[in-house]
Amino acid sequence: MKVIKNINNNVSLCLDSKGNEIVAFGKGLGFIKPPYEIDLKKVERTFYNLNPNFINMIQDISVEAFEIADKVMNYASIVLDCELNANLVFTLADHLNFAIKRHEQGVNLKLPIVTDIEQLFEQEIDVGRYALTLIQDRLQISLPKVEAAYIALNIINSEFNNMRKDGDINDKIIQDITVLIERNFNIKIDIESFSYSRFVSHMYYLLKREKKNHRIKSDNKRLYQSLVDTYPKTYQCLLQIKNYFNTACDWNLADEECLYLMLHINRLYAREDCYQ
């Protein structure tokens, strides 16, 4: 196996004997300047068929988060008795990394649909709870129980990547809103990036709820007002999106929907702005 690029001290991009690209994890893999042949004994885990856009995320995510995500993914494959996309380990690791940072900063979100997830996706919730146990055992960090539902959503998104049943209509709405965000922040969004994929998933859930007239309820209104005060530029973008929904769909987004939408816009803008 040949290392062709070091991502960080413990992660490298490699080529196997057949010329396939692999992301390899192992302590100290990135200390030697590539290209060089690697001692397979140093490789702890490898990942094939990864979205190239996810590779850029690795340097921002702790090794511990990846190790936990890998164990969670293996557990999920057993519990759900299915083969999961290899990219799931990256989405999970990114989520876990972000959840831990949020918790350390004292930002704990409520998920209004947690009961629905618990009732409809018992196995996925079991995977989420397993992840929380791993985090507690490995990092001595006790994340809120609601994080099990958030983790379950990552698994659900991986299982059901065909949510576009009303594809043409939904895609048009999402494309229009993407353009609004790009214009407001003067950025070009990478539609192949993980941040955008997460944003799109959120939009599909939002569209599905609105079409069924199912409004989420939460106690996060104080946090919403805090975001409005802290991120005025994002709020101005949100107002345009609200106006779009009102004009194009005759929908009036509730504050709870606006809160989660602002969080995703902020996350999307922060990631894209890094590459301006």
Side-chain angles (χ1 to χ4, degrees), residues 4-8 11-15 20-25 47-61 66 86-87 89-91 94 190 192-195 271 275:
I4 58 174
K5 179 182 179 181
N6 289 329
I7 299 172
N8 60 37
V11 185
S12 296
L13 184 64
C14 306
L15 292 178
N20 298 312
E21 283 196 346
I22 309 168
V23 173
F25 283 66
F47 299 98
Y48 283 79
N49 302 319
L50 296 177
N51 185 327
N53 292 286
F54 290 164
I55 296 175
N56 293 325
M57 297 164 41
I58 297 176
Q59 56 190 348
D60 298 322
I61 302 174
F66 271 111
N87 293 305
V89 71
F90 285 77
T91 61
D94 183 71
D190 180 4
E192 298 295 329
S193 68
F194 168 60
S195 296
R271 285 288 172 87
Y275 305 102

Side-chain angles (χ1 to χ4, degrees), residues 3 28 34 63 66 92 124 138 159 166 170 194 243 250 252 256-257 274:
V3 175
V63 174
F66 271 111
L92 271 177
E124 289 81 358
R138 179 71 181 270
E159 290 180 284
D166 296 323
N170 287 346
F194 168 60
N243 183 64
D250 196 26
N252 184 25
E256 287 82 357
E257 294 285 8
C274 290

Side-chain angles (χ1 to χ4, degrees), residues 104-141:
E104 290 173 344
Q105 295 168 358
V107 179
N108 296 312
L109 298 176
K110 294 184 178 180
L111 183 62
I113 58 173
V114 63
T115 301
D116 294 334
I117 297 173
E118 289 175 341
Q119 292 177 349
L120 297 175
F121 301 99
E122 294 182 5
Q123 291 177 313
E124 289 81 358
I125 279 289
D126 176 50
V127 174
R129 290 168 180 158
Y130 172 74
L132 296 190
T133 299
L134 283 180
I135 293 170
Q136 173 65 55
D137 293 343
R138 179 71 181 270
L139 304 177
Q140 287 74 54
I141 295 175

Side-chain angles (χ1 to χ4, degrees), residues 225-236:
Q225 187 58 51
S226 175
L227 288 177
V228 169
D229 295 337
T230 305
Y231 302 102
K233 191 173 181 179
T234 304
Y235 179 59
Q236 290 304 313

